Amino acid sequence: MKQPESFSGSTRPLGLVVIGASSGGLEAIIRLLKHLPTQFDVPTAVVLHQRANRASGIPEMLAKYTHLKVQEPEDKEIITKGHLYVVPPNYHLLIDSGELLSLSLDAPLNYCRPAIDMTFLSAAEVFRQRLAGCVLTGANDDGARGCVAIKRHGGVVLVQDPQQAAVDIMPRAAIAATMVDEVLTVEVMARKLTTLAVGADP
Amino acid sequence: MSKPESEQNMDEFEVEVECLMDALFLRWGYDFRGYSRASLRRRVDRYLADNHYQRVADLQHELIRDKKRCIHFVRGLTVNVTEMFRDPEFYRVIREQVVPELKSHPFLKIWHAGCSTGEEAYSMSILLQEEGLGERAVIYATDVNSQVLDQASKGVYPERMLAMARDNYRISGGRGSLDDYLSVGYERFLIDPILKKNIVFTQHDLVTDQVFGEMQMVICRNVLIYFRRELQTKVLTLFHDSLDLGGFLALGIKESLRNLPKQFRYKAVDEATRVFQRVD
Ligand SMILES: C[S@@+](CC[C@H](N)C(=O)[O-])C[C@H]1O[C@@H](n2cnc3c(N)ncnc32)[C@H](O)[C@@H]1O
């Protein structure tokens, strides 16, 4: 078995960031985006649990706070630098081989569609050490299994400090599931992603 | 440019899944080799866990020898989630922009490819009735999975799906009440058999089977998302060859024609709901 590369010794540039969030998530994501510098261009996918069945308005809302090009991905789109992909309501987002975005209507996982675990698991398999998974505020444990997979494949897991999170259940579940790399506020998380983006050792 | 598949350094599980798909094709002719890898991995992973297999190799050993088990497995590979009047805006576009053109045809042939348990075909049948096209239309509703087709031809669904169906129907521009087309009882609802009259449910595999000729409309929603790009191209070609000139092609709202062979021409009837018209 391959050993996961240790986080501190890493010099890989990131290929993909996946941000998972649930209750209170929109606000936390906005804060994170606001703190990403304009040179940050790593493709980023946002998996946010939503109740709405239809057009959520979330991409438009996020676009106000980021230089990244915000869009709901189409099926089999090539993952591209400088883009922020917001998973459309009622679909799961999978990361496919060839670094493609793939949508699925598979049954809800952890009662969620989109489910963070679906994206984390598939992204870990394709991007391995070049993946950063971020777990923000939320009221269930979606994402925790995905974090285990990310660590097994040598990727990075960053978790919002439960004490800072609007709802701490999701961050705590991630922390309990595996050896996450760091627990931090979303502001510091943004800085961390920026250093990881270029493969620099912070 | 992405490297040819063989040069991509696949992990162990991915290699196992690829081999398993090759084995199923060689042994029984089931061809899932062109399906999205990410989706197949999730499905195989789930199947292993649900059926207590330790290793893909154990599963493969059995599937090569046991056809019954293989059928069970293959059914689990397809995702069959659907609902009545899913994406109501799509049905509104059909009503407002496509129906007026369809009215010029004395006889209509419509193909729902990947119809799953049939809700989509019944929704279309209701719409056509309301628009006065019910008498002249035949709907061919096909799927690779014979089990969902059995359910489709029964037209019986859990009552808990009804609230959403009613909402969708209303937003789609329905002219009456959805309840006029069904009866409710025993926690289920039953589609009015009248609506079945012009629907033909039949098994058809988009990967291995032939064209359905001279359709005025082909509807294939949320099926291509499970296919790799090469297979999408092949299936879009199949649809093209099945469509009349001026015929309509409808995809799922997150699907696109990006993998359409360059020489085929379509114009968008409605970009947002992915309704296109063949123009060459
Ligand atoms: C998610 S359902 C979509 C149902 C419906 N069209 C909708 O959008 O609500 C996908 C369907 O495609 C079918 N399918 C998958 N592969 C197929 C193939 N090779 N040929 C025909 N149907 C296929 C599956 O069996 C499943 O019923």
Side-chain angles (χ1 to χ4, degrees), chain A residues 48-70:
Chain A
L48 177 63
H49 296 157
Q50 322 165 25
R51 234 167 247 124
N53 212 333
R54 271 173 278 285
S56 56
I58 289 171
E60 293 76 12
M61 192 128 51
L62 294 183
K64 290 190 213 146
Y65 302 98
T66 178
H67 60 283
L68 297 166
K69 194 170 174 305
V70 183

Side-chain angles (χ1 to χ4, degrees), chain A residues 44-91:
Chain A
T44 301
V46 167
V47 189
L48 177 63
H49 296 157
Q50 322 165 25
R51 234 167 247 124
N53 212 333
R54 271 173 278 285
S56 56
I58 289 171
E60 293 76 12
M61 192 128 51
L62 294 183
K64 290 190 213 146
Y65 302 98
T66 178
H67 60 283
L68 297 166
K69 194 170 174 305
V70 183
Q71 63 172 119
E72 280 187 357
E74 260 179 20
D75 179 59
K76 303 295 177 295
E77 223 176 298
I78 297 173
I79 294 172
T80 311
K81 273 192 174 178
H83 284 247
L84 183 85
Y85 302 102
V86 180
V87 185
N90 251 326
Y91 285 89

Side-chain angles (χ1 to χ4, degrees), chain A residues 74, chain B residues 253 268-276:
Chain A
E74 260 179 20
Chain B
I253 50 169
V269 175
D270 184 71
E271 196 61 66
T273 54
R274 308 297 152 110
V275 180
F276 305 95

Side-chain angles (χ1 to χ4, degrees), chain B residues 164-204:
Chain B
M164 178 158 53
R166 287 190 186 116
D167 274 355
N168 287 350
Y169 169 79
R170 194 173 29 78
I171 303 166
S172 80
R175 294 188 190 274
S177 157
L178 187 61
D179 291 75
D180 298 342
Y181 305 100
L182 48 89
S183 46
V184 185
Y186 305 104
E187 295 178 354
R188 284 183 280 186
F189 69 91
L190 169 71
I191 300 288
D192 187 339
I194 284 276
L195 292 171
K196 296 182 187 168
K197 226 178 49 192
N198 56 354
I199 306 181
V200 183
F201 288 107
T202 151
Q203 196 171 12
H204 179 278

